[in-house]
Amino acid sequence: MWPHFNSVGCESMADFGDVLRSIGEFGTFQKRMVFALCFPNIILPFQFACVFFIQSDPERHCNTDWILKADANMTRQEQLNLTVPLERDGSFSRCRMFVPVDWDVGTIRDHGLNQTTVCQNGWIYNSELYTATIVTDFDLVCDRAYLLQLAQTVMMTGILLGCLLFGPFAESFGRRRAVQIPMVANLIFTVTSALCPNVLLFMLSQFLMGIGYGGFRMNAIILATEWIGPSKRSWGACVTQLFGALGQALLAGVIYIIRDWRLAQFITAAPLAVICIYIWFLPESARWLLERGRTEEAKELLLKVAAVNKRTFKESLLEKIVVKEKTEKKSGVVILVQSSVLRKYFFTLLYAWFSVNVAYYCVSFNVGNLGLDVFMTQLLFGLTETVAQILCMWLLEALGRRLSIISTLLTGALLSALMLAFIPGYPVAVTALATSGRLLANWAASVCNVYVQELFPTSCRQTASGLGSFASRAGGLIAPLVNMLATYHWSIPMVIFSGLTLISGVLSFVLPETRGIELPDSTDDAENNRNKKMTKKECESNVHIKSSKL
């Protein structure tokens, strides 16, 4: 078999890409791996149900059942008239009540009550939309309303920390363990979240669950991608996002049927338990095994993969890769900073990831405030993102990585800015623009996931991915805080996240095209082979030399 080469450059015979071409770039084994690692992303969006599907200011009034001691047969309307003050618009106060008194009901009716206080015995909520949410169960209203944004922020902090912790963990202990352990954590703390009796324990469970979520999402993409050849490599990231989009669409139906956040958590835990069983049997990344010097394990695994794909594995290729791996300096994060070329790419991707997640979660946390039915809006979010990811897999190969990320970032920034022209009073237009902007942010994140695999060498690929995921989750972390600025003016959050996305789109012009190029196994590959062009004569000469050695 002749070694593969293309117009970008000729692949070295010592590249892992030659091994993948020998055993199959995207055969039966890779398809099983991708499905096994991506299927959990259908379920993981359900974990956001408790912080997405809420009414931040639900219809309510103070619990004033104290007056029923004076007249147990009093109607609800009469009770409100006697115990709850009116606002200026004539509605009953949501946060204040009249101070309880030890009078008979006749005296109360004759003289009325004048002194008010904050709600002393909780609230009574209108449950027409939801049976129970974290807002109603933990009374996150009035002077406790800030705890809602805090709960959202705590969860995003956990996701951010998960990316930070499990990046270095995967470098030291392997991609497989960095996928398995976070998934078990997801299962455990999804259940404990549903059982929490108060908001502090709930936030602790959400924080720990977020660590598992962040660790799994990041490392699942890495593990899948490192087994796929260049012709289908974008599938590793895009199918992950595709399954996540399907999960977003299914989430709308699940919450529409259930309407109770605790029950939704338990339902989420059931498939997670099944995933925890099968995911324990997934194989390790052969790239990582070779990089760690575990050659015999890698060889045994590659032989099994070749058998599954019904291909023949040439062990001579592995020997040349081992020689190359021994010459590569294992510098981790240091090489990302020391190399001027990689540093430029690295910080550009960090900023792009950060900006798209600020935009994505600013819109997501406002799903109930866009003006249309919350379930329909969420369904539109999921369905449109599903279509976008299918297109993304095709366009990444047809148009390339560079054009894809530039166009999605700049177009997304434009659509987000257009929302300023329609809010308030135009719910259909706002929802359409928000859906499109969220779609493009999700699309851009997929391109970032592909880019981070293709720009950096094996020795620091996981570190780059971990720090990139850290930056993206930092964007999600500050999104609730950005939304809080709407209390000063409704346009401030949109100005911020559309501006961030616009800047990242401009900066992305410095990124190179990596379509069809093998993953770099060394720093030299990453620095010198991105834009290197070889003439046809040089390629043919290189191929002749390689083939004579096979």
Side-chain angles (χ1 to χ4, degrees), residues 219-253:
N219 288 294
I221 294 174
I222 297 289
L223 182 54
T225 303
E226 290 191 345
W227 275 110
I228 301 174
S231 64
K232 297 290 185 181
R233 190 184 303 121
S234 59
W235 283 54
C238 292
V239 174
T240 295
Q241 299 290 83
L242 173 62
F243 277 56
L246 289 172
Q248 294 284 353
L250 290 175
L251 175 59

mmCIF file of all heavy atoms in Angstrom, residues 219-253:
data_model
loop_
_atom_site.group_PDB
_atom_site.id
_atom_site.type_symbol
_atom_site.label_atom_id
_atom_site.label_comp_id
_atom_site.label_asym_id
_atom_site.label_seq_id
_atom_site.Cartn_x
_atom_site.Cartn_y
_atom_site.Cartn_z
ATOM 1 N N ASN A 219 -12.541 15.168 27.611
ATOM 2 C CA ASN A 219 -11.717 13.996 27.332
ATOM 3 C C ASN A 219 -12.383 13.012 26.386
ATOM 4 O O ASN A 219 -11.695 12.246 25.709
ATOM 5 C CB ASN A 219 -11.343 13.306 28.644
ATOM 6 C CG ASN A 219 -10.329 14.119 29.424
ATOM 7 O OD1 ASN A 219 -9.192 14.291 29.005
ATOM 8 N ND2 ASN A 219 -10.735 14.654 30.562
ATOM 9 N N ALA A 220 -13.706 13.004 26.324
ATOM 10 C CA ALA A 220 -14.388 12.129 25.372
ATOM 11 C C ALA A 220 -14.041 12.533 23.943
ATOM 12 O O ALA A 220 -13.825 11.674 23.073
ATOM 13 C CB ALA A 220 -15.900 12.193 25.592
ATOM 14 N N ILE A 221 -13.978 13.840 23.685
ATOM 15 C CA ILE A 221 -13.618 14.309 22.350
ATOM 16 C C ILE A 221 -12.180 13.916 22.011
ATOM 17 O O ILE A 221 -11.879 13.471 20.899
ATOM 18 C CB ILE A 221 -13.804 15.836 22.257
ATOM 19 C CG1 ILE A 221 -15.284 16.199 22.389
ATOM 20 C CG2 ILE A 221 -13.255 16.365 20.935
ATOM 21 C CD1 ILE A 221 -15.538 17.688 22.461
ATOM 22 N N ILE A 222 -11.283 14.068 22.979
ATOM 23 C CA ILE A 222 -9.872 13.722 22.756
ATOM 24 C C ILE A 222 -9.728 12.237 22.435
ATOM 25 O O ILE A 222 -9.066 11.845 21.465
ATOM 26 C CB ILE A 222 -9.030 14.056 24.002
ATOM 27 C CG1 ILE A 222 -9.065 15.553 24.281
ATOM 28 C CG2 ILE A 222 -7.592 13.575 23.828
ATOM 29 C CD1 ILE A 222 -8.315 16.384 23.302
ATOM 30 N N LEU A 223 -10.346 11.384 23.253
ATOM 31 C CA LEU A 223 -10.224 9.944 23.073
ATOM 32 C C LEU A 223 -10.781 9.513 21.723
ATOM 33 O O LEU A 223 -10.190 8.682 21.023
ATOM 34 C CB LEU A 223 -10.942 9.206 24.209
ATOM 35 C CG LEU A 223 -10.861 7.675 24.187
ATOM 36 C CD1 LEU A 223 -9.426 7.195 24.120
ATOM 37 C CD2 LEU A 223 -11.573 7.098 25.415
ATOM 38 N N ALA A 224 -11.920 10.083 21.328
ATOM 39 C CA ALA A 224 -12.509 9.726 20.040
ATOM 40 C C ALA A 224 -11.633 10.209 18.884
ATOM 41 O O ALA A 224 -11.358 9.463 17.933
ATOM 42 C CB ALA A 224 -13.907 10.325 19.923
ATOM 43 N N THR A 225 -11.154 11.439 18.973
ATOM 44 C CA THR A 225 -10.403 12.040 17.874
ATOM 45 C C THR A 225 -9.071 11.348 17.638
ATOM 46 O O THR A 225 -8.632 11.190 16.483
ATOM 47 C CB THR A 225 -10.158 13.543 18.154
ATOM 48 O OG1 THR A 225 -11.418 14.194 18.342
ATOM 49 C CG2 THR A 225 -9.424 14.196 17.001
ATOM 50 N N GLU A 226 -8.394 10.922 18.698
ATOM 51 C CA GLU A 226 -7.079 10.320 18.539
ATOM 52 C C GLU A 226 -7.127 8.946 17.878
ATOM 53 O O GLU A 226 -6.080 8.386 17.540
ATOM 54 C CB GLU A 226 -6.370 10.247 19.901
ATOM 55 C CG GLU A 226 -5.966 11.624 20.415
ATOM 56 C CD GLU A 226 -5.039 11.568 21.608
ATOM 57 O OE1 GLU A 226 -4.918 10.499 22.224
ATOM 58 O OE2 GLU A 226 -4.435 12.604 21.931
ATOM 59 N N TRP A 227 -8.315 8.393 17.714
ATOM 60 C CA TRP A 227 -8.449 7.115 17.005
ATOM 61 C C TRP A 227 -8.893 7.303 15.553
ATOM 62 O O TRP A 227 -9.009 6.321 14.811
ATOM 63 C CB TRP A 227 -9.470 6.228 17.719
ATOM 64 C CG TRP A 227 -8.894 5.429 18.845
ATOM 65 C CD1 TRP A 227 -9.108 5.576 20.174
ATOM 66 C CD2 TRP A 227 -7.983 4.322 18.719
ATOM 67 N NE1 TRP A 227 -8.392 4.647 20.897
ATOM 68 C CE2 TRP A 227 -7.697 3.860 20.022
ATOM 69 C CE3 TRP A 227 -7.371 3.681 17.635
ATOM 70 C CZ2 TRP A 227 -6.845 2.790 20.272
ATOM 71 C CZ3 TRP A 227 -6.526 2.615 17.885
ATOM 72 C CH2 TRP A 227 -6.266 2.186 19.192
ATOM 73 N N ILE A 228 -9.169 8.539 15.131
ATOM 74 C CA ILE A 228 -9.738 8.780 13.801
ATOM 75 C C ILE A 228 -8.691 9.397 12.883
ATOM 76 O O ILE A 228 -7.942 10.288 13.284
ATOM 77 C CB ILE A 228 -10.962 9.720 13.899
ATOM 78 C CG1 ILE A 228 -12.029 9.097 14.818
ATOM 79 C CG2 ILE A 228 -11.558 9.972 12.521
ATOM 80 C CD1 ILE A 228 -13.200 10.000 15.083
ATOM 81 N N GLY A 229 -8.665 8.945 11.629
ATOM 82 C CA GLY A 229 -7.742 9.492 10.640
ATOM 83 C C GLY A 229 -8.173 10.857 10.152
ATOM 84 O O GLY A 229 -9.287 11.314 10.421
ATOM 85 N N PRO A 230 -7.306 11.548 9.395
ATOM 86 C CA PRO A 230 -7.575 12.937 8.992
ATOM 87 C C PRO A 230 -8.819 13.122 8.140
ATOM 88 O O PRO A 230 -9.452 14.163 8.192
ATOM 89 C CB PRO A 230 -6.305 13.335 8.231
ATOM 90 C CG PRO A 230 -5.636 12.055 7.862
ATOM 91 C CD PRO A 230 -5.981 11.091 8.942
ATOM 92 N N SER A 231 -9.196 12.128 7.352
ATOM 93 C CA SER A 231 -10.339 12.301 6.455
ATOM 94 C C SER A 231 -11.664 12.418 7.191
ATOM 95 O O SER A 231 -12.620 12.995 6.675
ATOM 96 C CB SER A 231 -10.412 11.133 5.462
ATOM 97 O OG SER A 231 -10.655 9.908 6.138
ATOM 98 N N LYS A 232 -11.740 11.878 8.407
ATOM 99 C CA LYS A 232 -12.990 11.917 9.176
ATOM 100 C C LYS A 232 -12.779 12.501 10.573
ATOM 101 O O LYS A 232 -13.639 12.346 11.430
ATOM 102 C CB LYS A 232 -13.555 10.493 9.320
ATOM 103 C CG LYS A 232 -13.938 9.819 8.020
ATOM 104 C CD LYS A 232 -15.170 10.450 7.409
ATOM 105 C CE LYS A 232 -15.603 9.679 6.170
ATOM 106 N NZ LYS A 232 -16.795 10.277 5.524
ATOM 107 N N ARG A 233 -11.674 13.207 10.793
ATOM 108 C CA ARG A 233 -11.351 13.625 12.145
ATOM 109 C C ARG A 233 -12.383 14.594 12.719
ATOM 110 O O ARG A 233 -12.638 14.616 13.915
ATOM 111 C CB ARG A 233 -9.964 14.259 12.187
ATOM 112 C CG ARG A 233 -9.460 14.492 13.595
ATOM 113 C CD ARG A 233 -8.140 15.200 13.606
ATOM 114 N NE ARG A 233 -7.161 14.457 12.843
ATOM 115 C CZ ARG A 233 -6.517 14.947 11.801
ATOM 116 N NH1 ARG A 233 -6.742 16.173 11.399
ATOM 117 N NH2 ARG A 233 -5.639 14.217 11.158
ATOM 118 N N SER A 234 -12.972 15.428 11.883
ATOM 119 C CA SER A 234 -13.943 16.400 12.381
ATOM 120 C C SER A 234 -15.154 15.727 13.013
ATOM 121 O O SER A 234 -15.862 16.333 13.814
ATOM 122 C CB SER A 234 -14.397 17.322 11.246
ATOM 123 O OG SER A 234 -14.991 16.577 10.200
ATOM 124 N N TRP A 235 -15.386 14.449 12.667
ATOM 125 C CA TRP A 235 -16.508 13.732 13.248
ATOM 126 C C TRP A 235 -16.363 13.594 14.760
ATOM 127 O O TRP A 235 -17.354 13.581 15.490
ATOM 128 C CB TRP A 235 -16.633 12.341 12.611
ATOM 129 C CG TRP A 235 -17.235 12.366 11.246
ATOM 130 C CD1 TRP A 235 -16.803 13.105 10.181
ATOM 131 C CD2 TRP A 235 -18.366 11.634 10.783
ATOM 132 N NE1 TRP A 235 -17.591 12.869 9.084
ATOM 133 C CE2 TRP A 235 -18.556 11.971 9.428
ATOM 134 C CE3 TRP A 235 -19.227 10.715 11.382
ATOM 135 C CZ2 TRP A 235 -19.580 11.427 8.663
ATOM 136 C CZ3 TRP A 235 -20.236 10.162 10.619
ATOM 137 C CH2 TRP A 235 -20.416 10.517 9.278
ATOM 138 N N GLY A 236 -15.131 13.460 15.248
ATOM 139 C CA GLY A 236 -14.931 13.293 16.681
ATOM 140 C C GLY A 236 -15.533 14.415 17.485
ATOM 141 O O GLY A 236 -16.140 14.196 18.537
ATOM 142 N N ALA A 237 -15.371 15.657 17.000
ATOM 143 C CA ALA A 237 -15.923 16.812 17.700
ATOM 144 C C ALA A 237 -17.367 17.076 17.299
ATOM 145 O O ALA A 237 -18.217 17.354 18.146
ATOM 146 C CB ALA A 237 -15.070 18.048 17.414
ATOM 147 N N CYS A 238 -17.665 16.980 16.007
ATOM 148 C CA CYS A 238 -18.995 17.364 15.526
ATOM 149 C C CYS A 238 -20.083 16.389 15.955
ATOM 150 O O CYS A 238 -21.207 16.805 16.256
ATOM 151 C CB CYS A 238 -18.980 17.503 14.004
ATOM 152 S SG CYS A 238 -17.998 18.890 13.434
ATOM 153 N N VAL A 239 -19.777 15.091 15.979
ATOM 154 C CA VAL A 239 -20.785 14.134 16.423
ATOM 155 C C VAL A 239 -21.070 14.321 17.914
ATOM 156 O O VAL A 239 -22.203 14.160 18.374
ATOM 157 C CB VAL A 239 -20.347 12.680 16.120
ATOM 158 C CG1 VAL A 239 -21.329 11.680 16.703
ATOM 159 C CG2 VAL A 239 -20.233 12.476 14.613
ATOM 160 N N THR A 240 -20.035 14.686 18.676
ATOM 161 C CA THR A 240 -20.247 15.005 20.088
ATOM 162 C C THR A 240 -21.243 16.141 20.229
ATOM 163 O O THR A 240 -22.199 16.069 21.019
ATOM 164 C CB THR A 240 -18.912 15.415 20.751
ATOM 165 O OG1 THR A 240 -18.028 14.294 20.739
ATOM 166 C CG2 THR A 240 -19.126 15.859 22.179
ATOM 167 N N GLN A 241 -21.037 17.213 19.473
ATOM 168 C CA GLN A 241 -21.956 18.353 19.515
ATOM 169 C C GLN A 241 -23.329 17.984 18.952
ATOM 170 O O GLN A 241 -24.350 18.482 19.424
ATOM 171 C CB GLN A 241 -21.369 19.514 18.724
ATOM 172 C CG GLN A 241 -20.039 20.032 19.241
ATOM 173 C CD GLN A 241 -20.158 20.758 20.569
ATOM 174 O OE1 GLN A 241 -20.181 20.149 21.632
ATOM 175 N NE2 GLN A 241 -20.251 22.064 20.507
ATOM 176 N N LEU A 242 -23.348 17.115 17.938
ATOM 177 C CA LEU A 242 -24.611 16.687 17.340
ATOM 178 C C LEU A 242 -25.474 15.957 18.367
ATOM 179 O O LEU A 242 -26.674 16.236 18.502
ATOM 180 C CB LEU A 242 -24.340 15.784 16.138
ATOM 181 C CG LEU A 242 -25.556 15.100 15.489
ATOM 182 C CD1 LEU A 242 -26.519 16.134 14.934
ATOM 183 C CD2 LEU A 242 -25.106 14.148 14.386
ATOM 184 N N PHE A 243 -24.873 15.029 19.093
ATOM 185 C CA PHE A 243 -25.618 14.301 20.107
ATOM 186 C C PHE A 243 -26.061 15.244 21.233
ATOM 187 O O PHE A 243 -27.145 15.087 21.797
ATOM 188 C CB PHE A 243 -24.772 13.159 20.668
ATOM 189 C CG PHE A 243 -24.807 11.903 19.827
ATOM 190 C CD1 PHE A 243 -24.456 11.948 18.493
ATOM 191 C CD2 PHE A 243 -25.176 10.689 20.377
ATOM 192 C CE1 PHE A 243 -24.487 10.799 17.712
ATOM 193 C CE2 PHE A 243 -25.220 9.536 19.604
ATOM 194 C CZ PHE A 243 -24.866 9.593 18.264
ATOM 195 N N GLY A 244 -25.212 16.228 21.551
ATOM 196 C CA GLY A 244 -25.606 17.218 22.554
ATOM 197 C C GLY A 244 -26.808 18.023 22.099
ATOM 198 O O GLY A 244 -27.703 18.339 22.899
ATOM 199 N N ALA A 245 -26.852 18.380 20.811
ATOM 200 C CA ALA A 245 -27.993 19.123 20.267
ATOM 201 C C ALA A 245 -29.267 18.279 20.315
ATOM 202 O O ALA A 245 -30.350 18.775 20.644
ATOM 203 C CB ALA A 245 -27.695 19.562 18.838
ATOM 204 N N LEU A 246 -29.145 16.984 19.989
ATOM 205 C CA LEU A 246 -30.302 16.090 20.108
ATOM 206 C C LEU A 246 -30.793 16.036 21.554
ATOM 207 O O LEU A 246 -31.998 16.022 21.815
ATOM 208 C CB LEU A 246 -29.930 14.683 19.623
ATOM 209 C CG LEU A 246 -29.710 14.508 18.122
ATOM 210 C CD1 LEU A 246 -29.153 13.119 17.827
ATOM 211 C CD2 LEU A 246 -31.013 14.719 17.360
ATOM 212 N N GLY A 247 -29.838 16.019 22.484
ATOM 213 C CA GLY A 247 -30.207 16.040 23.898
ATOM 214 C C GLY A 247 -30.946 17.304 24.279
ATOM 215 O O GLY A 247 -31.887 17.274 25.074
ATOM 216 N N GLN A 248 -30.538 18.447 23.697
ATOM 217 C CA GLN A 248 -31.228 19.707 23.976
ATOM 218 C C GLN A 248 -32.672 19.656 23.498
ATOM 219 O O GLN A 248 -33.580 20.152 24.168
ATOM 220 C CB GLN A 248 -30.489 20.862 23.280
ATOM 221 C CG GLN A 248 -29.100 21.146 23.802
ATOM 222 C CD GLN A 248 -29.095 21.889 25.129
ATOM 223 O OE1 GLN A 248 -30.133 22.324 25.620
ATOM 224 N NE2 GLN A 248 -27.926 22.020 25.718
ATOM 225 N N ALA A 249 -32.888 19.054 22.318
ATOM 226 C CA ALA A 249 -34.253 18.937 21.799
ATOM 227 C C ALA A 249 -35.085 17.993 22.670
ATOM 228 O O ALA A 249 -36.244 18.283 22.994
ATOM 229 C CB ALA A 249 -34.220 18.438 20.353
ATOM 230 N N LEU A 250 -34.495 16.854 23.060
ATOM 231 C CA LEU A 250 -35.217 15.909 23.916
ATOM 232 C C LEU A 250 -35.502 16.509 25.291
ATOM 233 O O LEU A 250 -36.518 16.198 25.913
ATOM 234 C CB LEU A 250 -34.400 14.628 24.072
ATOM 235 C CG LEU A 250 -34.287 13.742 22.831
ATOM 236 C CD1 LEU A 250 -33.339 12.580 23.108
ATOM 237 C CD2 LEU A 250 -35.653 13.222 22.420
ATOM 238 N N LEU A 251 -34.609 17.381 25.746
ATOM 239 C CA LEU A 251 -34.793 18.016 27.050
ATOM 240 C C LEU A 251 -36.100 18.794 27.110
ATOM 241 O O LEU A 251 -36.800 18.769 28.136
ATOM 242 C CB LEU A 251 -33.608 18.945 27.330
ATOM 243 C CG LEU A 251 -33.675 19.796 28.603
ATOM 244 C CD1 LEU A 251 -33.788 18.924 29.840
ATOM 245 C CD2 LEU A 251 -32.446 20.698 28.697
ATOM 246 N N ALA A 252 -36.444 19.473 26.016
ATOM 247 C CA ALA A 252 -37.700 20.228 25.983
ATOM 248 C C ALA A 252 -38.890 19.302 26.221
ATOM 249 O O ALA A 252 -39.813 19.629 26.990
ATOM 250 C CB ALA A 252 -37.845 20.948 24.644
ATOM 251 N N GLY A 253 -38.880 18.118 25.573
ATOM 252 C CA GLY A 253 -39.984 17.176 25.757
ATOM 253 C C GLY A 253 -40.023 16.582 27.143
ATOM 254 O O GLY A 253 -41.098 16.418 27.735
#
